Amino acid sequence: MVDIKHDAHALLKRFFGYDTFHPMQFQVIEHVIHGKDAVVLMPTGGGKSICYQIPALLKPGCAIVVSPLLALMKDQVDSLVANGVPAAAINSQQTESQNREIIDNVYLGHIKLLYISPERLLADMDLWARDLKINLIAIDEAHCISHWGHDFRPEYSQLSLVRKRFPGVPVMALTATADRLTRDDIKIQLNIPDAKTFIQSFDRPNISLSVISGISGREKLRRIVGFIENHNGQSGIIYCLSRKSTETLATNLQALGINAQAFHAAIPTAQKLAIQQAFINDDIPVICATIAFGMGIDKSNVRWIIHYNMPKNIESYYQEIGRAGRDGMKADALMFYSFADVKTLMNFANDSGQAIINIEKLNRMQQYAEASVCRRRVLLSYFNERYDHDCGNCDVCNNPPDRVEGTKLCQMALSALMRTNQNIGFKTLIDILRGSRKSDIVANGYDKIKTYGVGRDLKASQWNAYLLQMLQLGLIFIAYEEDSHLKITELGKEVLYGKRNIMLSKFYYETTALSKKPKQEQAIFNEEEEDLALFEKLKATRKAIATARKVPPYVVFTDKVLHMMAVAKPTTKAQFGTLYGVAEAKTELYWMQFTSVIKEYLSNKK
Ligand code: ADP
Ligand code: ZN
C-alpha cells in the first residue's frame, strides 16, 4: 500500500525544501493520483506548479506540461534541474537533434517532467500517446482556450483532442485568472466535463492596492519618482499602454538618476532578452513596459507594480499586480487612472472583434478604479470569491469615505431581485424600486410585487451607486450569460435574511474617487536593522553563486529563503538543511558558502 500523503510530503521536502503544502495543493495531487481530471484555479504565486510536479514524481512515467510561453518553460526547467528534478523542454529554439535526444530520454524513463508548446504536442500527439509512458497532462494558462478568458489563443483550441487521445491519463488544467464563466468554459473546451474544480483563494493579502486618479502627467512623474525612492533599490515594473510612453517614461526617470529601462515588443529580441536578464539578475531595478513584459518571468522578488495607465480589464490587472510579491513578502501595487485611459481603451475594445465582452470587462475595471469600497473586496467579488470583510491593506481601507448603515437599503434591492426570480438587470431593478410606470414594468406585473416603489426616496443615480457597491461587496453578481441579469450570492442572502449588516459609502454627486485625498505612499520594509545587514551579505553571496552558475539569483534561493536564513542564522549543515525552502540538492550545493558567511557575520558582531 502506498501512502500518498507520506510520499507526497517526503517529495515536497526533498525536492523543494518545504514542510507543508499550500491550501489545495495536496487535494489536487491526491485527486490526480487517482487518475481523475482537475481544473486548478490559483492566483499567481499560489503554487500551481507543485500540483503537477509532485504527481509527476510520484507516478511511474513522465508528465507533459503544456505551456504557451517559452521563457517560462526555460525558467521552470532551470529551477527544477537546480532542485535535482529531471526535467526538460522541447521547443523551437532548440535544434531537432536536441529535441530528439530529449524524447529518447523520456522514452528511457530519464525525464519526469517535459515542458512543451501546444503546437508541438499536437504535431507529435500519436508518438506521445503510443510510445511513451505519460502519467499526467498538465495544461498551464488554461484560460487561453476560452473566448471568455482575456487571452484567447487559437493554438489552444485543438487541445480539446488531448482527452480522447490519452485515455486513462489524467488531464489537469491550471490558470491564475478565471472568472466563473471562463472556469466553466475551460471544462467544456477541454472535453473534461467531469473534472473537479479546485479553487484556492485568489486573495494576495501581501500586495497593497492603491489608485490615484485624475492628476497631470507631470504630477504623475513626481509621484512615481517618490514611490521608487521609497522602494529604494527594489525591483518593480511600470506598465504603460503604449510603446512610446514606456520610452518617454524610462528616459525621464533616467534623467532623474533612476536606473530604468524601456521594454516593448518592437525592441530587437536580443536586446529584450538582455533587459529581461538584467531585471531578473537584480541589475536593473525598474522596467517601463508594455504588457509584453513579465509574462514569462517567474522572478519572485518583484516588490512593486505601477500601472501608468488603467489596464483593459480586471483579469489583466490582477495578473500584472500578481507578478509582485510571489515570495509572499510585502509588495505594493499602485495604479493611475484617468478618463483619457478609458477613452483609449474603449477604442481598443470596440476594435477587438469581441466588443461586447470587452467593453463590459472595461466597465468593471473602471468601476474598480472608482470604487468607494475596499478594493480587495471588489477584486475578489469579481472572481466570485466570498470575502466578507475589509482588507485593511488598500487605499480605501486606509482612507475610508463616510459610511452609512445600508442594510435596509440592500434588503430592499435584494428582496426585489428575489421576487422577480433574479431575472432582471440593473435598469429594471431601479425602475421597480423607484416605482416607475414604464410599460415593461407594468406589462411584467412588476408593479404588483411587494417591493415596488419602496425606494422612491432615492434618485436613480443614487440607486445606481448603491447597487454598484452591492456588486463590489459581493452581495450580487452579474450573470453575463443570462442577459446580464443580477443574481444574489450567498453573502447577499445572509444580508437579505438579516444575518449580517452592511455599511455603504455615502453617495456624493461627484464621483468620490476623484476627489479623494491621495494616500501617502509608505516605505514597505521594516526588518530589524541587524538582520538586514546579514540579509545584504546573504544576497551578495547569492548573487555571486548565481553569476557563477549562470542562473537568476532567485533560482539559487528566493528572497523569502534569504530572509528566513537571516533570522534563523544556521551555522551547520544540519541546521541549514531544515530551513524553509531549502531542498536536499541545494543543501549539498550551498550550505558551506552560506553558513560561513553567517558564522563570519556572527563573530564580527561579538
Ligand atoms: P504559480 O505558478 O501558481 O504562480 P508557483 O508554482 O510558481 O506559483 O509557486 C510560487 C512560489 O511559491 C514558488 O517560489 C514556489 O516554490 C513556492 N511554493 C509552492 N508551493 C509551496 C509550498 N507548499 N510551501 C512553500 N512555498 C511554496
Ligand atoms: Zn481594503
Side-chain angles (χ1 to χ4, degrees), residues 442-457:
V442 180
N444 283 306
Y446 293 152
D447 55 341
K448 304 283 186 310
I449 66 173
K450 209 175 148 206
T451 21
Y452 177 77
V454 290
R456 55 165 60 87
D457 290 350

Side-chain angles (χ1 to χ4, degrees), residues 523-539:
I524 60 156
F525 236 66
N526 26 12
E527 290 291 316
E528 283 174 47
E529 203 70 29
E530 258 191 284
D531 287 349
L532 209 54
L534 175 57
F535 178 74
E536 290 304 326
K537 288 199 168 26
L538 297 172
K539 219 164 119 181

Side-chain angles (χ1 to χ4, degrees), residues 20-28 42 46-47 51 199-201:
T20 50
F21 282 108
H22 280 169
M24 289 295 167
Q25 284 179 326
F26 182 70
Q27 287 92 318
V28 175
M42 287 186 182
C51 295
I199 308 180
Q200 194 193 74
S201 171

